[in-house]
Amino acid sequence: MTDTVHVTDVVLFPNLYIDGEWRPGSTGDRFPVVDPSDGSTIAEFAVASEVDCDAAVEAAAAAFPAWSATAPRVRSEILRRAWEILTDEVDVFTEIMVRENGKSWPDAKAEASYATEFFRWFAEEAVRIPGEYRLSPAGDKHIIVTHHPIGVALLITPWNFPAAMATRKLAPALAAGCTTILKPASETPLTAAYVVDVLERSGVPKGVVNLITPKPVGPAVSRMLAHPAVRKLSFTGSTEVGRDLLKSSADRVINTSMELGGNAPLIVLPGADLDIAVEGAFLAKMRNGGSACTSANRFYVHESVHDAFVERMTERLAAMSVGPGLDRRNQLGALVSVKERDKVADLVDTAVAEGARIVTGGAKGERGAFYAATLLIDVAHGSTINATEIFGPVTAVVRFAEVDEAVSKANDSEFGLVAYVFGEERQAIQVGQRLDVGMVAINRGVISDPAAPFGGTKQSGLGREGSTEGILEFLETQYLAVTV
Ligand code: ADP
């Protein structure tokens, strides 16, 4: 079982990928990859030792001169091929995620499509890297501004979107001409291995993409950040780990992009169309089973629509079919692990102890890491569940009376990733513009798009991914002064 993983007709090797070669780690150690819907072991993945991490950095460093000098059109066409293969193999991509992450089939399929699109988008951006020319105001020189790939980029990704977080980093890095080392979450290395396998089949030269899974992760990452060849760190994960990585990056002044935690407010204004608000709120909360940094976490609902909103949202949540993602009819899958599921259950118990009431859900599944779609009312602003990123299928509703009060409560957070506003369009836009967040969805529940800049303010991170900005995160600006 442990040597290969069969998904439909694709065979995956649960190994490291270094310098164009799939290999076991130098120590021979392995760790289990578990299906959270039943606790079974799917594969034993290779542990990367310090020797392996060094080898990955060195391979990426050796590949950099040739890759950065490769014509943009050639880089673009490799990325385009990756988009084509992933589009053809969408069911394989989906199934791997379902099995190691536990998410439902529809959630995994939506992620597979979203993840795949980053290759098409950045294939198009690779040939459009901007530059600038101007005559200096004094007329003495030509000012020529160009952008160059930064160098070796370390990409660290979380388990909640194992595909999209990898492609959202790999695609712009490769488009820019950087070489890469991908470090996926240890819960979901198979999705990463599959993406790397697709890039290999697309024609990425050896050393340009490397895959490592060190355990323990902290010392291995610190060691790589101390290596003189590593010039870029792109991280998606918790604010806590992000802060530590910023500190480690300071020693060598490494260029960082940080996509960190969120605590997204969702505001339902008086006069909101409840058909739109309930549908949008359902998507904003339940996409990916609530395990998303963009997931609506704090529901501020105006008292004039509160009861109707709660009633209709409860109906939607209670009707969800919960169960293993391999049964494609299930709408809510498992959480990634029993540990994560128990964190969600503890948050709900604490909320109840602090005065909230459960309207629906509030129970663990009998088997596997399942938790019912849950709705809580009478949640207090500032209570534990309101101030914590839930990362699970729990809707926690706070009632409000004045719009200004909702805005100030929504802004009362150290996070500033995303917000959702439902209401009459003009008022909703005005409210959205007063929110200190990087992204605002107006009368809709899904905001992510490869063509839009993804990122947050405050402690939600630094930099943007996707869009025309995403590639700039992997480029260094150079200015040439040429005498007229
Ligand atoms: P999450 O709670 O979403 O898993 P984490 O921040 O714990 O977020 O993990 C995100 C990624 O960061 C994973 O790939 C994880 O292995 C990695 N990671 C966790 N701790 C460290 C650390 N000390 N140094 C570097 N990477 C880490």
Side-chain angles (χ1 to χ4, degrees):
M1 170 194 61
T2 59
D3 295 348
T4 52
V5 183
H6 295 259
V7 180
T8 316
D9 47 3
V10 169
V11 180
L12 276 180
F13 299 95
N15 280 339
L16 314 177
Y17 186 72
I18 298 172
D19 206 17
E21 210 181 82
W22 292 96
R23 23 170 131 152
S26 64
T27 59
D29 290 346
R30 292 189 169 267
F31 64 92
V33 183
V34 174
D35 178 343
S37 72
D38 62 8
S40 64
T41 297
I42 310 166
E44 301 275 353
F45 209 95
V47 173
S49 65
E50 285 187 354
V51 172
D52 300 317
C53 293
D54 289 350
V57 173
E58 275 143 32
F64 180 68
W67 182 246
S68 57
T70 299
R73 175 63 74 204
V74 174
R75 297 203 298 261
S76 166
E77 283 173 354
I78 290 172
L79 295 175
R80 172 87 191 182
R81 269 200 295 283
W83 173 76
E84 284 165 4
I85 295 172
L86 288 170
T87 301
D88 287 348
E89 297 182 6
V90 62
D91 280 352
V92 175
F93 203 7
T94 301
E95 186 179 329
I96 296 169
M97 277 188 271
V98 164
R99 287 175 64 187
E100 68 176 355
N101 170 280
K103 63 178 72 182
S104 72
W105 190 275
D107 279 335
K109 192 151 188 173
E111 180 180 354
S113 308
Y114 175 53
T116 299
E117 280 304 319
F118 284 103
F119 285 122
R120 177 156 65 164
W121 175 262
F122 283 107
E124 291 157 352
E125 290 298 288
V127 289
R128 288 180 178 75
I129 293 170
E132 244 181 85
Y133 161 81
R134 83 175 72 95
L135 190 61
S136 65
D140 64 327
K141 59 185 173 301
H142 302 285
I143 295 174
I144 301 170
V145 181
T146 54
H147 297 286
H148 302 264
I150 291 181
V152 173
L154 176 57
L155 316 175
I156 302 182
T157 54
W159 49 258
N160 63 328
F161 287 108
M165 298 306 96
T167 62
R168 196 161 80 179
K169 296 184 191 307
L170 283 165
L174 300 177
C178 290
T179 54
T180 59
I181 301 150
L182 175 62
K183 207 297 293 166
S186 58
E187 292 85 349
T188 53
L190 296 172
T191 306
Y194 173 67
V195 170
V196 170
D197 171 71
V198 168
L199 284 168
E200 184 185 40
R201 285 189 270 151
S202 305
V204 167
K206 77 183 182 100
V208 171
V209 173
N210 301 276
L211 173 71
I212 50 152
T213 43
K215 273 196 174 257
V217 62
V221 168
S222 300
R223 184 180 167 90
M224 286 189 282
L225 293 175
H227 193 294
V230 174
R231 295 299 324 145
K232 172 78 196 181
L233 169 64
S234 178
F235 172 77
T236 298
S238 60
T239 297
E240 199 186 354
V241 173
R243 270 190 216 108
D244 284 346
L245 291 176
L246 280 169
K247 288 179 195 152
S248 315
S249 299
D251 287 341
R252 291 188 47 258
V253 195
I254 287 176
N255 181 312
T256 57
S257 301
M258 293 275 155
E259 295 293 350
L260 308 178
N263 186 357
L266 183 149
I267 301 174
V268 185
L269 295 166
D273 177 327
L274 279 191
D275 288 340
I276 293 172
V278 171
E279 177 61 23
F282 179 77
L283 289 172
K285 178 72 249 180
M286 297 308 295
R287 183 167 164 260
N288 219 41
S291 294
C293 52
T294 50
S295 184
N297 211 60
R298 300 178 287 151
F299 286 69
Y300 296 102
V301 183
H302 189 260
E303 59 189 12
S304 63
V305 289
H306 176 276
D307 292 355
F309 175 85
V310 165
E311 190 184 329
R312 292 170 65 169
M313 188 74 178
T314 301
E315 264 170 37
R316 288 294 303 266
L317 295 174
M320 288 186 88
S321 46
V322 186
L326 286 180
D327 180 340
R328 300 184 186 194
R329 293 165 302 182
N330 285 328
Q331 295 163 297
L332 177 59
L335 279 93
V336 73
S337 62
V338 168
K339 185 172 142 224
E340 288 298 320
R341 192 273 314 275
D342 288 347
K343 275 196 213 165
V344 173
D346 287 350
L347 268 176
V348 171
D349 293 347
T350 305
V352 170
E354 291 178 4
R357 283 191 292 144
I358 297 174
V359 181
T360 187
K364 296 178 186 178
E366 282 168 18
R367 186 164 172 263
F370 293 97
Y371 196 77
T374 299
L375 188 138
L376 301 170
I377 55 169
D378 296 342
V379 173
H381 173 74
S383 62
T384 307
I385 199 161
N386 179 263
T388 309
E389 192 173 22
I390 302 169
F391 241 63
V394 181
T395 302
V397 181
V398 181
R399 183 193 290 262
F400 75 87
E402 301 294 333
V403 172
D404 284 351
E405 172 201 345
V407 170
S408 74
K409 284 179 171 168
N411 282 334
D412 180 23
S413 167
E414 75 260 35
F415 297 110
L417 186 62
V418 59
Y420 301 85
V421 186
F422 293 88
E424 179 274 314
E425 189 165 275
R426 201 176 128 91
Q427 188 188 20
I429 291 172
Q430 283 168 348
V431 166
Q433 287 174 330
R434 293 170 64 196
L435 299 176
D436 187 359
V437 294
M439 304 179 284
V440 185
I442 304 291
N443 287 326
R444 52 178 295 121
V446 177
I447 192 163
S448 300
D449 190 306
F454 186 103
T457 61
K458 299 192 270 187
Q459 295 192 36
S460 287
L462 298 168
R464 293 293 181 270
E465 292 193 315
S467 179
T468 49
E469 291 175 55
I471 197 166
L472 297 177
E473 301 275 328
F474 292 93
L475 293 165
E476 201 77 85
T477 302
Q478 187 180 52
Y479 149 53
L480 282 180
V482 182
T483 302
V484 170

